[in-house]
Amino acid sequence: QVQLVESGGGLVEPGGSLSLSCAASGIIFSINTMGWYRQAPGNQRELVAAITSSGSTNYVESVKGSFTISRDNVKKTVYLQMTSLKPAATAVYYCSAERRGTSYWGPGTQVTVSS
């Protein structure tokens, strides 16, 4: 079965950095578009960043220049490097894998930006 497992969340002070990882199994990782979403309390889940099978990336406007998504097809892992973190980035971050309308999700990892 398909499994996506996020790791790397935690508590960080404003202005700090955090790196998330998502290890995938049960899918042909290299052909899937991988994404990071987040959901803060009371808000809808939103796309933060995505990377296609060819390596093209896109980001929500609010994280451009401070977040970087990357993938390692050998390790079947997608990463999200987050820098210059602000309290508004506090949310549960979810990893997703998508291909041809079929999506899979991880259970999420909490990121809290607070002093």
Side-chain angles (χ1 to χ4, degrees):
Q1 69 276 21
V2 178
Q3 276 195 316
L4 301 175
V5 181
E6 303 96 339
S7 60
L11 174 64
V12 62
E13 292 187 348
S17 299
L18 209 58
S19 184
L20 305 182
S21 300
C22 171
S25 61
I27 58 172
I28 305 174
F29 181 84
S30 61
I31 64 174
N32 277 262
T33 291
M34 302 300 297
W36 286 98
Y37 289 71
R38 65 187 177 190
Q39 186 168 19
N43 291 358
Q44 289 189 330
R45 191 174 298 189
E46 67 167 351
L47 175 66
V48 176
I51 183 166
T52 68
S53 57
S54 62
S56 297
T57 59
N58 68 282
Y59 300 89
V60 66
E61 191 65 33
S62 61
V63 308
K64 286 181 179 178
S66 57
F67 287 17
T68 303
I69 189 171
S70 61
R71 64 191 295 161
D72 185 328
N73 288 339
V74 174
K75 295 182 178 179
K76 296 185 179 180
T77 301
V78 62
Y79 306 95
L80 185 68
Q81 178 66 37
M82 305 182 290
T83 64
S84 303
L85 282 161
K86 304 173 183 177
T90 295
V92 178
Y93 283 69
Y94 298 91
C95 172
S96 74
E98 187 277 331
R99 176 166 171 78
R100 293 183 178 178
T102 298
S103 297
Y104 301 97
W105 297 89
T109 186
Q110 177 70 46
V111 171
T112 303
V113 185
S114 175
S115 55

